[in-house]
Each structure stands twice: as C-alpha cells, then as structure tokens.
Amino acid sequence: MSSARVDYIAPWWTYWLHNFPHINLRFQPTDNSFQPEEENYQQSLIFLGCVAAAGLGLNLLCLAIYLSCLCCCRKDEEEESKKPNSCCVTWSAVAAGLITCVAVGVGFYGNSETNDGVYQLTYSLYNANHTLGGVDSLVTGTMGSMKSGLHQHLARLDEIFATRGDYVQTLQFMQQMADNVIKQLLGLPDWEEAKVDLASIADQTANIEYYRWLSYLLLLIVDLIICLLACLGLAKQSRWLLTTMMVFGVLTLVLSWTSLGADLATAVGTSDFCVSPDKYLLSQTKGIIGADIVHYYLYCNQTLSNPFQQPLTIFQRSLTTMQIQIQGLLQFAVPLFPTAERDLLGIQHLLNSSEASLHQLTALLDCRGLNKDYLDAMVGVCYDGVEGVLYLCLFSTLAACAFTVMLCAIPRAWRQIACRERDYDDIDEEDPFNPRARRIGSQNPNLTNMHSFCSYSSSMGSQTSLHPPAPAVSNAPMSEYMNQTALFGGNPRYENVPLIGRGSPPPSIYSQQYRNRYSPSMRATYLSMTEEQRRQFGNDFQA
C-alpha cells in the first residue's frame, strides 16, 4: 500500500466532506475512516441527519413565532399602510418563485448526475462480475476435463499398451502432468464467492437507485406545482387555494429538510470511502482473496508482478510436455496398436481445448480489465455520484428557503384579501354611490333609479327641503359645483372638477368621510328622483 496512486485521485470535494466532524450520538468524536459495520461510525452519519432535523425544528419554530406575531398584532387598515404591505407580499412571492425555479433546475441536474454515477458503478460491477464468472467457468471446465476425460483416455490406453512398458511409463508421466495442472488450477483463488457478492451488490444498488431517482423526480415536480399554484392563488386572490398551498408548503418544507439530512449523510459516508477505498476493499476481501492479488488489481502498474504468473507458466509447460508425448505416441505407437489412435486423438483434442482455455484464462486474469472496471466505478461514485448528491443538498437548501419565504408571504396575502372583502361588505346598500346599488338599478329598471343628489331640478320639491335654498342655475360649471359643495356643508374642492362634465360624482365621494356627511333627508331626496331627472341633470352639466 506504499506505492502512490497513478490513475485514481479522489476529487477535492471528497476530502472536504471527509473532514466534516464525525460525532456519535453521545457527542464524542469518532474515526472518519469508512467503517459502515461499526456502530460509532453509523452514529456519526445519523448525527448529520439529526443536525438537519434540528434545522427543521428551528425553521418551524421561527415560522410559528412569525405567524403568532402576525395574528396578534393589529394592523392599520388605512390606505397608506396597505400599499407597502402589498408590495412586500408581491416581492416575497417573486423571490420565492425565482428561488424555487433555481432550486428545481439544480435538483434536476443533481438527480441526473447522481443517477449517471450510480449507473456507471453498477455497470462496472456487472463487468467485473462477468470477468470473475468467466475465470471461474474456465478453471472449473479445465479441471473437469483433466479429471474425467483425460483419466478415461489414459485408462483405456493403459490396457492397450499393457505389453509395452515404455508406453505405459509415458502414460504415467502424462498422468503426473495432468495432476500438476489440476494442482495449479486449485491454487488459483476461488472467485465464486466474490462473484456472488458483486452481483448481489449491483442488483441492490440498481434497485435502490431507481426508487431514489423516481422519488426525487416526484419531489421536484411537486415543488414546482406548489409554487405555481401559490402564485396563482395570489394572482386570483383565492383564500382557499392559498390555505391549501400553505399546508402542502409545510409538508414540502419537511421533505426538503429530510432529504437534506439524508443527502448530507450519504455524501459524507461516500466521501469517506472515496478518500481511501483500498483500505476498505482489503478488509472486505480478507480471508477470501490474498492481499497481494487485491493489491495487484487495484494498482496494476508495471512494478508489480503478476501473482498468477507462476501457476500459469507451469500450466503451459505441462500442456506442452503432454502434447509432445502424444505426438510421439501417435507417430510410433499407432502403427503397432491401431486401436489406440482414437484415444490418443481424444487426448490431443482435450489438450488443444485446454490450451485455448489457458490463453483465455491468462487474458481474464490480467489486471488491466478488472482495474479498468474498478477505476470506472470509482469515477462514477466519487466524481459524478458525490457531485450530484452535493447538488441535491443545494436543491434541498434552496427549496427550504423558498418555501419558508412563501409560508411567510401567504398569511399576509390571506389577511389583506380578508380585509378587502370586509371593507367591501361594509358598504351601505342604500348608498347612492355604491357600485353594487348602481348595478342593481341598471339591471332592474322597475326599482328607483339612483343618481347624484347634486341635482337642483327636482319635481318633488327636494330643494325646498334643504337649507339654505339652492342658488340659481349658472352657466359656470366651476362656480356651480363649488356652490353645491358649500351647500352640503363641505369646502370647495378643485380636485374633482374634471368629473363635472361627465355628470358623475367625484371618486372621493365613496369614502367613509363623505358618506357620513349625508343626512337621511338627503338620501331620501336622491332616491326619490326619476330616470328623466337624472338625464336632465347630466345634460345640464354637459352644456
């Protein structure tokens, strides 16, 4: 383990995450080495999730305090105080929408990067599993052919060559060579157990990643939909929609903090593995595969000798020696024992297939194939995978901020909408300047028509009931309107002069301070006017 790494270098963010404090649930520092089977290490990762849970609790506490203050404090309902609050709600909604859009974009990128990294890991695991399975199949097949097929041919030849002692010695020598080949094959590591572990790890990882990817995809879509519906509720001033989105916003806030804790623990644990993967792999293969073999495949440089070179060389020499002996028997023994030709050709065919298996076995046992799979897996996990998880952590943080702002803005908007509806409901139905009363009068002509009681041409004698008496009609609209204003106890107002020519009351007449000036007799006079008198009043002002 003293040789320096050449091909694999852990990225800087894995070292940054690896240096995070590792504290167990008893608030004691623990070793940051990747040891998932150790209880203290598991507690250190759970502690990171508890930190996110504490952040969620603090966030909900701040929201509860804010909502309590908003409900307890009395707001000034004057027009000057409503305008800034409306702008505050608008800008808060805009900020929440922009942050949500950025968070969703970051989340989609992080989810894709994480999925790519895990896919590369599982692909490399399946390739390594295929390589190890091929090695195991070749070793098993060669040993089976040597034990059964070669033994049967040699037994029949021993009967045929019973009268020739030199040929029998040759057969015995070939049996020794075959036993030597079997011995060398038995010296190779048993890949069956490692192969099964890789296959199971790849299958479990693929299944977990599929559900993780799908869950984050649904969470991203839900976040975007909630943000859009909240903005729609603000635009439509729908209190029930805002209330519904507020409930879903709280649930999404909880999910955001939960995903942040899970992603943070995953990123730190994976980074601990990426900083020193060799140490963990050596501990996991101890007792199954030799340390020199694991070291050979992990580093795979020219300075390391192939641990399989000696058994493969003996295997090759034994096959060559046996082929030479078979060639001699075919040349000299077949003319004397023609019945031995079939078994000798069978042995020759068996040796040729064993030599082909030897070449395939040599290629599969070479470190370059498995080392490439190992490096691809490490790049997928430590580069794409950890980077994607970090982007998912950023998404969770931005989503939590966005929904916090949204949860602060919705109650203010809800209260403003309630105040506006209450002010609208407080308008007197008999007020001649109430727009609702105007609509009723225009839709039902049988009801008494309403128009401005500034008219001074009433046939019901309404002007005689007013004190002081109405002045004479003049062609000066400005002085005429000012006189009418003074008549009803008000001061001359020049701000409403442009509305005189339209025959409609000034807009400020709808406010509460003007409605309080009209006595019951004034309202009765106005309500007693006919439609024709209202038209006559408008024509007088237009003239």
Side-chain angles (χ1 to χ4, degrees):
M1 299 297 294
S2 60
S3 57
R5 297 307 300 266
V6 177
D7 295 323
Y8 170 72
I9 299 176
W12 63 268
W13 52 81
T14 59
Y15 287 100
W16 177 63
L17 293 170
H18 178 66
N19 292 326
F20 269 30
H22 288 65
I23 302 174
N24 58 18
L25 298 181
R26 294 182 295 274
F27 299 97
Q28 297 175 351
T30 61
D31 187 14
N32 57 1
S33 300
F34 185 71
Q35 300 173 349
E37 66 280 355
E38 294 292 333
E39 182 180 0
N40 287 330
Y41 184 80
Q42 296 175 0
Q43 291 183 2
S44 66
L45 298 181
I46 296 175
F47 181 81
L48 296 176
C50 294
V51 171
L56 172 62
L58 183 61
N59 193 353
L60 295 178
L61 179 62
C62 293
L63 284 175
I65 295 175
Y66 171 79
L67 294 177
S68 300
C69 295
L70 186 64
C71 295
C72 295
C73 296
R74 295 295 182 183
K75 297 174 59 179
D76 190 3
E77 296 183 357
E78 294 182 356
E79 191 69 25
E80 290 79 11
S81 63
K82 291 179 182 180
K83 196 170 184 179
N85 291 334
S86 179
C87 293
C88 180
V89 171
T90 301
W91 283 110
S92 298
V94 170
L98 291 178
I99 296 175
T100 303
C101 292
V102 173
V104 169
V106 172
F108 272 111
Y109 178 77
N111 197 31
S112 177
E113 283 292 302
T114 305
N115 184 258
D116 292 341
V118 176
Y119 173 78
Q120 191 170 353
L121 169 65
T122 56
Y123 184 78
S124 300
L125 289 176
Y126 284 127
N127 281 342
N129 180 71
H130 178 73
T131 301
L132 298 180
V135 171
D136 183 73
S137 176
L138 288 173
V139 171
T140 304
T142 303
M143 290 177 58
S145 63
M146 286 293 177
K147 288 181 178 180
S148 61
L150 183 62
H151 179 72
Q152 293 177 2
H153 289 297
L154 291 177
R156 285 194 295 266
L157 288 175
D158 187 65
E159 295 177 357
I160 296 173
F161 297 149
T163 58
R164 294 293 301 265
D166 54 345
Y167 293 161
V168 173
Q169 291 179 357
T170 302
L171 295 178
Q172 293 176 355
F173 179 73
M174 291 178 61
Q175 183 64 50
Q176 293 177 0
M177 292 294 102
D179 293 339
N180 195 16
V181 169
I182 294 174
K183 180 180 179 181
Q184 299 303 322
L185 292 177
L186 289 174
L188 296 177
D190 186 9
W191 302 101
E192 183 64 25
E193 188 174 356
K195 179 177 71 71
V196 172
D197 289 341
L198 287 180
S200 61
I201 291 174
D203 292 337
Q204 293 176 4
T205 304
N207 291 331
I208 294 173
E209 170 57 21
Y210 171 75
Y211 290 109
R212 186 211 61 82
W213 174 83
L214 184 61
S215 299
Y216 266 99
L217 184 64
L218 294 177
L219 179 60
L220 291 168
I221 295 174
V222 168
D223 286 355
L224 192 59
I225 291 176
I226 291 176
C227 180
L228 293 178
L229 291 180
C231 294
L232 180 63
L234 290 174
K236 295 291 186 179
Q237 295 185 356
S238 174
R239 286 192 292 175
W240 71 267
L241 184 58
L242 290 177
T243 303
T244 305
M245 291 304 103
M246 189 171 181
V247 174
F248 281 103
V250 173
L251 295 178
T252 309
L253 184 64
V254 174
L255 290 178
S256 298
W257 280 102
T258 304
S259 63
L260 177 61
D263 292 336
L264 184 60
T266 303
V268 172
T270 308
S271 298
D272 293 339
F273 169 76
C274 292
V275 168
S276 56
D278 306 338
K279 181 179 179 181
Y280 177 73
L281 293 176
L282 285 172
S283 64
Q284 291 299 307
T285 56
K286 186 177 180 180
I288 302 175
I289 303 174
D292 57 336
I293 298 177
V294 177
H295 192 262
Y296 168 70
Y297 283 113
L298 292 181
Y299 289 91
C300 191
N301 52 41
Q302 297 179 354
T303 60
L304 297 175
S305 61
N306 188 346
F308 308 109
Q309 186 65 41
Q310 183 178 359
L312 292 177
T313 301
I314 296 175
F315 187 6
Q316 177 67 47
R317 291 176 180 176
S318 300
L319 289 178
T320 303
T321 302
M322 294 171 67
Q323 288 175 345
I324 293 173
Q325 297 297 325
I326 290 298
Q327 289 292 338
L329 291 175
L330 286 172
Q331 183 178 359
F332 298 105
V334 171
L336 300 176
F337 303 96
T339 57
E341 183 179 6
R342 180 179 179 182
D343 289 317
L344 291 175
L345 291 177
I347 294 174
Q348 188 180 38
H349 177 72
L350 188 149
L351 294 176
N352 290 334
S353 62
S354 298
E355 187 176 8
S357 299
L358 173 64
H359 293 309
Q360 295 179 10
L361 186 61
T362 303
L364 291 176
L365 290 176
D366 187 77
C367 66
R368 288 173 293 183
L370 288 176
N371 182 258
K372 182 181 181 301
D373 295 332
Y374 166 71
L375 293 178
D376 291 342
M378 295 305 301
V379 169
V381 172
C382 302
Y383 282 83
D384 294 339
V386 177
E387 182 185 7
V389 173
L390 286 177
Y391 278 109
L392 290 178
C393 291
L394 179 60
F395 152 72
S396 300
T397 304
L398 292 176
C401 294
F403 283 102
T404 300
V405 174
M406 186 181 73
L407 291 175
C408 292
I410 287 179
R412 284 184 173 273
W414 195 91
R415 187 165 185 174
Q416 288 183 8
I417 294 172
C419 292
R420 291 172 185 173
E421 292 181 355
R422 185 172 61 251
D423 293 341
Y424 188 76
D425 293 336
D426 289 341
I427 298 176
D428 190 0
E429 294 292 341
E430 297 181 357
D431 188 356
F433 303 110
N434 183 6
R436 187 182 302 172
R438 289 185 176 183
R439 288 195 300 268
I440 295 175
S442 62
Q443 295 173 1
N444 192 355
N446 296 327
L447 298 177
T448 304
N449 294 289
M450 297 179 292
H451 66 91
S452 174
F453 61 84
C454 294
S455 174
Y456 41 86
S457 57
S458 174
S459 61
M460 301 297 292
S462 61
Q463 293 297 326
T464 60
S465 64
L466 301 176
H467 185 76
V473 178
S474 173
N475 292 330
M478 179 67 70
S479 60
E480 177 182 306
Y481 176 72
M482 293 170 61
N483 289 336
Q484 292 296 329
T485 305
L487 174 64
F488 299 119
N491 295 324
R493 297 179 60 86
Y494 293 92
E495 62 177 336
N496 301 315
V497 172
L499 299 175
I500 295 177
R502 297 195 321 207
S504 61
S508 60
I509 203 71
Y510 296 109
S511 61
Q512 186 66 32
Q513 57 178 339
Y514 280 89
R515 293 203 306 268
N516 294 335
R517 293 183 183 179
Y518 308 145
S519 62
S521 60
M522 295 179 183
R523 294 178 182 271
T525 301
Y526 179 79
L527 294 174
S528 63
M529 294 181 182
T530 63
E531 179 66 23
E532 184 176 355
Q533 289 175 344
R534 188 176 70 171
R535 287 198 298 268
Q536 181 64 32
F537 173 75
N539 294 334
D540 291 340
F541 274 104
Q542 291 177 1

